[in-house]
Amino acid sequence: MNCHMPRLNEGLQDVVRTHAIFSPTKRNMIENNQPNACNQCHTDEPIDWTIDHLKKWYGASFNQFTVAKNYPQQSSPATINWLKSDKEFVRQIAADALTRTNSSWAMPELVNMLDDPFRTNRQFTRIGLERMTGVKLSDFGYRFYMTTKERKEPLERIREKLIPAKTTAQADGSRAE
């Protein structure tokens, strides 16, 4: 089901399956940095991995120029590219895929999604992170509906709890002690 009916629709408090059945080789999804079925499960793989598998399995071909233009970090996991999208629904699906697959390697980016400009994305990311980690983010004073300024301190506490010091130091460009 994941390959032909991926989770692309916003439900009340979750991203739910589309009821449209389609091929995972759908050109516009693959080429335009939009959530695709393959990378919703294989969250750590780049789009080139997906394209290679779709070519082998289905004989699909894609416009490499369009792919290169739409994936600013083509060698990074496709889900990370989705998190950087200017489309809020793409970021929401990325956060859902990453938390649903317990992609702890993406924790810094997921915690950053708790500060997304789109309130629903913050809410869905909170739900996913709490499900993934077993940590209640309200215990840190975080509420998805807070203003940017109000979220600042709770997010710092959440980062300290959920992101290993080595990862935080690498993200800051400093050295972990």
Side-chain angles (χ1 to χ4, degrees), residues 11-54:
L12 291 176
Q13 291 193 352
D14 206 355
V15 176
V16 297
R17 291 188 191 288
T18 180
H19 286 90
I21 298 173
F22 54 84
S23 170
T25 62
K26 196 170 181 182
R27 180 180 300 272
N28 64 334
M29 289 172 61
I30 300 296
E31 291 180 351
N32 294 316
N33 195 11
Q34 294 183 357
N36 66 73
C38 300
N39 292 109
Q40 284 186 16
C41 291
H42 301 276
T43 58
D44 60 338
E45 297 293 351
I47 195 63
D48 288 340
W49 175 90
T50 305
I51 289 171
D52 183 53
H53 278 73
L54 293 174

Side-chain angles (χ1 to χ4, degrees), residues 114-125:
L114 294 171
D115 203 26
D116 191 85
F118 195 63
R119 185 179 340 172
T120 306
N121 286 1
R122 296 191 304 267
Q123 177 188 18
F124 279 47
T125 302

Side-chain angles (χ1 to χ4, degrees), residues 1 6 11 21 39 42-43 53 58 69-70 73 83 86 102 105 124 126 129 131-132 149 168:
M1 273 181 55
I21 298 173
N39 292 109
H42 301 276
T43 58
H53 278 73
Y58 299 105
K69 182 181 103 192
N70 290 320
Q73 297 176 332
L83 285 178
D86 60 350
N102 296 318
W105 59 267
F124 279 47
R126 177 196 59 81
L129 276 172
R131 180 177 54 224
M132 177 178 156
K149 185 177 179 181
T168 305

